């Protein structure tokens, strides 16, 4: 990977991270965070770790980001809730502590890391898709197959619990909207 | 590009046959289900029973085998077969007692039975696990299915609460377990149980990563077996869940959780048992005491049996605290068999007596049962006596073996605490018997009292409770050789240790 591309991607990651914490609209924050994660994925690919790069994008952007958006949507968090001004002292303290812990961790890792010229390059097959697939379908075949059954069980359970019951729309309307929460359109109509 | 051959996979039919049968049954019911009305779901239940029977035959075939397949992922030994058979019996009894309940409550039958089978699949996977990944996948498959099953009474807020509480706390505990697995992988460099045991030595026992991993896994399993202080979800989840599901949680989930717990800790982390038996000592003492004292004040039978299940987890943990003793494992396996029959029977009686939408039977529903339904009253008396630990029933013999294993490991104080707790438990179990025999009849008749599925499961549970107690020897020797196979030792060696 050329030096300039690395610098560009690194700068982009920092811009995305700043966007994630400085914007007022929570959805924009999540999008900023997604930018960081995609950017890191591209960086990994550029450094030769193609599998890790794709996994990063699939797992983090595909699954975790969607979870974030789900939570925002489920809790019906509005844009501009004044979180920035209103964060309590306790939250700020916890945030500062977590940041300090991460900084200390990074310091320890980098101070123990071997010098750049001592780093040995590894075989290109290490961590490649082919290697991963081979391990997944030999040593971990049972784990792989049973995981698909696990997901199937989860889907059956979710469908069973989410299936519409007879006369359910009336039951949903009977739940009063929580105070301070804007009622969704469908509920307001019925009410 | 070379191809992957079957020998590279270390493929073997025998260990996966019982598992595959149950999984295939679950999928078949799922596919047939949409064509079946919810009122006619009992047919799907029968299909589930046939599946379980077939799986049981396959599991019996695997008895006497002793091998690792699929690169060490699956263990085919008597330990796996023993647990698979007991889990399949427990699942079959659960299905039998659900047949009328599911149709009567208008629950989605296809999803219900296929989830029960998926849960059974996960449980069996835990029992047959050869590495920590399989332990985890088995636990998750079982848990996800049971979370959903707990919420199957969709219109009942208690059932919704039960499902949500069980799901959130369960997911949290799974996180602990997974983190523990990762740390143990980091400390020992392998994920297979046998290589982990081989890597444990005195130096490894001092490794903080390993100790942290042990603690995390202890928390994860503690949640699943409902040990104090990780038991908070138990009473609410047990009370709110549909009663057959409660029975499944109290017996099936507990069997599987102990199968995984014992295989990981007793059989394979045994070399460092000095690091964790003291913690288990405290957890066992707490679990027995909290479970029994909380059970004293319960009016709802489902809640009472929930606390009783906590107390029994405590008695079983007494056996785990005696880990270096090989006889402790066999005694616990035997105890679990008796516990399974007795508890399933007690829950079947509760199903027979509870009123629709009442969320379980209360003590007053048992008034005068000896006159209105003498057979049911007699069966319930038997189950209560067995749970108390009255000879010669299964509950007594199990306690006797577990406590004597603990005594041989010099855990005198723990056994004293356990004996005192058993004395306390007499009060709340005996209260049920007194209400049935000494009080006037309840006004309304029970709804499901004479349905064939329930009758069959009560009779089977009575037979199990008596047979396992009266003729302990074949069961105990099967339990001992099963545990010996998990230790990778021939049975004779364990017999000489006794």
């Amino acid at each position: 990977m050329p030096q300039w591309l690395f610098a560009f991607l690194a700068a982009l990651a920092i811009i995305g991270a700043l966007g994630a914490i400085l914007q007022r609209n929570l959805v924009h924050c999540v999008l900023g965070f997604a930018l960081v994660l995609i950017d890191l994925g591209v960086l990994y690919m550029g450094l030769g770790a193609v599998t890790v790069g794709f996994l990063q994008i699939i797992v983090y952007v595909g699954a975790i980001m969607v979870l974030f958006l789900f939570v925002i949507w489920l809790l019906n968090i509005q844009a501009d809730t004044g979180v920035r001004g209103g964060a309590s002292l306790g939250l700020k303290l916890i945030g500062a502590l977590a940041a300090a812990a991460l900084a200390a961790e990074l310091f320890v890792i980098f101070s123990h890391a071997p010098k750049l010229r001592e780093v040995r390059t590894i075989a290109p097959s290490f961590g490649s898709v082919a290697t991963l697939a081979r391990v997944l379908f030999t040593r971990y075949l049972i784990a792989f197959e049973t995981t698909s059954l696990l997901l199937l069980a989860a889907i059956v359970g979710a469908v069973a619990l989410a299936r519409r019951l007879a006369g359910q729309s009336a039951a949903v309307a009977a739940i009063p909207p929580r105070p301070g929460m804007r009622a969704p359109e469908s509920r307001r109509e019925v009410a | 590009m070379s191809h992957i051959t079957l020998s590279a996979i270390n493929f073997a039919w025998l260990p996966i046959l019982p598992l595959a049968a149950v999984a295939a049954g679950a999928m078949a019911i799922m596919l047939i289900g949409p064509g079946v009305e919810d009122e006619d779901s009992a047919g799907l239940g029968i299909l589930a029973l046939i599946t379980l029977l077939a799986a049981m035959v396959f599991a019996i075939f695997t008895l006497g085998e002793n091998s690792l397949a699929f690169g060490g992922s699956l263990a085919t030994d008597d330990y796996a077969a023993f647990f698979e058979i007991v889990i399949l019996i427990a699942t079959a009894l659960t299905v039998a007692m659900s047949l009328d309940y599911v149709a009567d409550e208008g629950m989605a039958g296809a999803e219900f039975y296929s989830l029960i089978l998926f849960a059974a699949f996960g449980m069996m996977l835990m029992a047959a696990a050869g590495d920590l990944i399989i332990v985890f996948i088995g636990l998750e498959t079982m848990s996800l299915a049971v979370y959903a099953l707990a919420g199957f009474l969709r219109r009942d807020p208690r059932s919704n609460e039960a499902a949500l509480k069980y799901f959130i706390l369960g997911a949290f505990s799974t996180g602990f377990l997974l983190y523990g697995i990762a740390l143990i992988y980091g400390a020992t460099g392998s994920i297979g149980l046998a290589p982990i045991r081989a890597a444990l030595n005195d130096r490894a026992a001092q490794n903080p990563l390993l100790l942290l991993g042990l603690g995390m896994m202890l928390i994860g399993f503690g949640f699943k077996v409902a040990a104090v202080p990780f038991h908070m979800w138990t009473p609410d989840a047990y009370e709110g869940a549909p009663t057959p599901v409660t029975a499944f949680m109290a017996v099936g989930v507990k069997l599987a959780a102990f199968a995984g717990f014992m295989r990981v800790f007793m059989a394979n982390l045994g070399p460092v048992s000095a690091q964790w038996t003291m913690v288990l000592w405290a957890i066992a003492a707490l679990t027995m005491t909290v479970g029994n004292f909380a059970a004293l004040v319960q009016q709802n039978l489902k809640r009472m049996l929930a606390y009783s299940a906590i107390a029994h987890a405590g008695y079983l943990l007494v056996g785990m605290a005696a880990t270096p003793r090989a006889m402790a494992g066999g005694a616990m396996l035997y105890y679990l068999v008796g516990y399974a029959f007795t508890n399933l029977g007690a829950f079947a009686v509760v199903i027979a007596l509870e009123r629709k939408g009442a969320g379980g039977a209360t003590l007053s529903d048992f008034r005068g049962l000896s006159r209105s339904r003498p057979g049911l009253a007699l069966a319930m008396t038997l189950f209560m006596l067995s749970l108390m630990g009255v000879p010669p029933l299964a509950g007594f013999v199990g306690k006797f073996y577990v406590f004597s294993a603990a005594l041989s490991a010099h855990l005198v104080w723990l056994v004293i605490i356990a004996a005192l707790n058993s004395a306390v438990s007499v009060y709340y179990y005996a209260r049920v018997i007194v209400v049935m025999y000494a009080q006037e009849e309840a006004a309304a008749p029970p709804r499901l009292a004479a349905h064939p599925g329930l009758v069959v499961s009560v009779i089977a549970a009575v037979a199990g409770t008596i047979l396992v107690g009266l003729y302990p020897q074949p069961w105990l020797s099967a339990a001992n050789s099963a545990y010996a196979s998990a230790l990778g030792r021939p049975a004779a060696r364990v017999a000489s240790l006794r």
Side-chain angles (χ1 to χ4, degrees):
Chain A
M1 183 197 279
Q3 198 93 41
W4 63 266
L5 187 57
F6 185 88
F8 170 73
L9 287 172
L12 200 61
I14 292 173
I15 292 170
L18 288 175
I21 55 171
L22 291 179
Q23 290 180 93
R24 299 188 76 86
N25 189 328
L26 270 177
V27 176
H28 293 169
C29 293
V30 170
L31 289 178
F33 192 33
L35 176 66
V36 179
L37 296 173
I38 296 174
D39 188 87
L40 288 181
V42 175
L43 258 179
Y44 295 157
M45 290 177 210
L47 293 171
V50 179
T51 318
V52 177
F54 275 111
L55 284 180
Q56 158 91 9
I57 289 177
I58 292 170
V59 174
Y60 282 94
V61 185
I64 306 234
M65 278 297 113
V66 172
L67 267 184
F68 266 107
L69 289 173
F70 259 128
V71 170
I72 291 174
W73 170 70
L74 267 179
L75 299 180
N76 205 8
I77 298 170
Q78 299 300 308
D80 200 17
T81 42
V83 172
R84 275 182 62 207
S88 65
L89 190 66
L91 274 180
K92 282 180 181 164
L93 202 66
I94 292 172
L97 275 178
L102 187 66
E105 201 178 325
L106 286 176
F107 177 76
V108 171
I109 289 172
F110 281 118
S111 59
H112 282 75
K115 298 217 166 49
L116 258 183
R117 56 183 173 286
E118 293 167 15
V119 171
R120 278 173 299 147
T121 49
I122 43 174
S125 67
F126 182 86
S128 72
V129 177
T131 319
L132 189 74
R134 187 164 295 276
V135 174
L136 205 56
F137 287 101
T138 53
R139 166 68 182 85
Y140 296 104
L141 178 71
I142 281 288
F144 180 80
E145 295 294 343
T146 48
T147 305
S148 54
L149 278 168
L150 185 158
L151 293 177
L152 187 61
I155 292 169
V156 173
V159 168
L161 290 186
R163 206 169 66 155
R164 187 180 293 276
L165 293 170
Q168 195 192 26
S169 53
V172 169
I175 301 170
R178 265 184 287 155
M181 195 173 115
R182 196 171 56 91
E185 295 306 318
S186 60
R187 274 189 212 166
R188 243 196 290 171
E189 268 173 64
V190 185
Chain B
M1 196 85 204
S2 64
H3 294 283
I4 295 171
T5 57
L6 280 185
S7 63
I9 301 171
N10 192 0
F11 193 89
W13 275 110
L14 204 56
I16 53 169
L17 271 182
L19 291 161
V22 175
M27 286 188 274
I29 289 172
M30 189 181 81
L31 291 175
I32 300 168
V36 180
E37 291 294 318
D38 281 347
E39 293 77 38
D40 312 326
S41 63
L44 295 173
I46 303 288
L47 188 58
L49 283 176
I50 294 169
T51 305
L52 292 166
L53 198 68
M56 219 177 299
V57 172
F58 291 137
I60 290 169
F61 278 139
T62 65
L63 277 171
E65 280 285 315
N66 205 341
S67 60
L68 280 172
F70 296 99
S73 292
L74 282 186
T76 321
D77 49 20
D78 283 2
Y79 181 88
F82 184 91
F83 266 110
E84 279 174 1
I85 292 168
V86 180
I87 286 167
L88 286 165
I89 292 174
T91 312
L93 285 180
T94 309
V95 170
M97 67 178 82
S98 312
L99 291 176
D100 299 303
Y101 186 95
V102 169
D104 197 57
E105 293 281 354
M107 302 195 310
E111 286 90 341
F112 184 88
Y113 294 115
S114 87
L115 281 175
I116 289 263
L117 290 189
F118 274 124
F121 171 81
M123 292 169 185
M124 290 160 66
L125 201 59
M126 275 183 91
D131 66 29
L132 289 173
I133 294 180
I134 299 294
V135 171
F136 172 74
I137 293 173
L139 185 102
E140 265 312 86
T141 311
M142 164 185 88
S143 302
L144 285 170
V146 178
Y147 299 149
L149 284 169
F152 252 60
L153 293 172
R154 300 263 312 271
R155 294 176 197 286
D156 187 349
R158 276 170 305 202
S159 179
N160 289 317
E161 184 198 338
L164 203 63
K165 205 170 239 180
Y166 192 27
F167 171 62
I168 291 174
L169 288 176
F172 194 55
S173 76
T174 307
F176 275 99
L177 183 74
L178 197 55
Y179 203 177
I181 290 174
L183 286 173
I184 290 195
Y185 177 57
T188 61
S190 50
I191 204 79
L193 287 170
I196 287 176
R197 181 170 53 178
L200 294 178
N201 50 33
D202 288 341
R203 210 163 60 87
Q206 303 302 324
N207 186 347
L209 273 185
L210 182 87
L211 297 182
L212 204 58
L214 282 180
M216 294 267 185
M217 286 185 70
L218 210 59
I219 294 173
F221 280 120
F223 262 101
K224 288 296 163 200
V225 303
V228 178
F230 317 113
H231 68 292
M232 297 301 181
W233 57 273
T234 318
D236 291 335
Y238 278 30
E239 186 190 356
T243 314
V245 176
T246 311
F248 198 46
M249 285 157 77
V251 176
V253 172
K254 193 152 288 195
L255 276 170
F258 266 108
F261 202 178
M262 288 171 69
R263 192 189 286 270
V264 173
F265 272 82
M266 295 178 75
N268 290 296
L269 295 175
V272 289
S273 65
Q275 312 290 334
W276 50 266
T277 41
M278 281 314 286
V279 181
L280 271 182
W281 194 102
I283 292 179
L286 265 177
T287 306
M288 291 185 287
T289 313
V290 171
N292 278 314
F293 278 89
L296 286 178
V297 294
Q298 304 304 326
Q299 289 296 318
N300 185 325
L301 256 280
K302 270 162 93 177
R303 269 188 104 80
M304 189 202 96
L305 287 172
Y307 281 111
S308 140
I310 295 175
H312 282 271
Y315 300 139
L316 281 158
L317 291 174
V318 170
M320 278 193 84
T323 283
R325 301 277 149 179
M327 65 184 280
M332 286 174 69
L333 258 56
Y334 175 86
Y335 189 109
L336 280 165
V337 177
Y339 170 87
F341 278 119
T342 310
N343 250 23
L344 283 169
F347 276 109
V349 175
V350 172
I351 294 173
L353 294 184
E354 74 173 71
R355 264 161 261 285
K356 192 166 182 167
T362 58
L363 261 185
S364 62
D365 290 328
F366 280 78
R367 275 180 307 186
L369 196 67
S370 61
R371 276 174 294 279
S372 58
R373 303 214 166 260
L376 215 53
L378 193 65
M380 191 64 176
T381 308
L382 199 75
F383 300 141
M384 290 297 118
L385 290 176
S386 175
L387 286 174
M388 252 183 240
V390 173
L393 298 167
F396 164 76
V397 188
K399 268 185 195 166
F400 175 79
Y401 284 129
V402 169
F403 294 171
S404 45
L407 275 183
S408 77
H410 309 295
L411 301 174
V412 181
W413 278 104
L414 194 58
V415 174
I416 290 175
I417 295 173
L420 289 176
N421 264 296
S422 297
V424 171
S425 75
V426 170
Y427 173 76
Y428 60 87
Y429 291 131
R431 202 168 50 165
V432 180
I433 302 175
V434 170
V435 167
M436 286 191 301
Y437 282 90
Q439 293 196 3
E440 286 305 306
E441 238 169 278
R447 60 162 171 164
L448 291 174
H451 277 266
L454 272 174
V455 172
V456 167
S457 43
V458 170
I459 290 174
V462 167
T465 307
I466 294 177
L467 282 181
V468 174
L470 272 186
Y471 303 104
Q473 212 46 53
W475 299 90
L476 192 69
S477 62
N480 274 328
S481 69
Y483 183 65
S485 77
L487 287 175
R489 296 178 195 165
R493 180 91 189 279
V494 178
S496 70
L497 285 175
R498 249 186 290 155

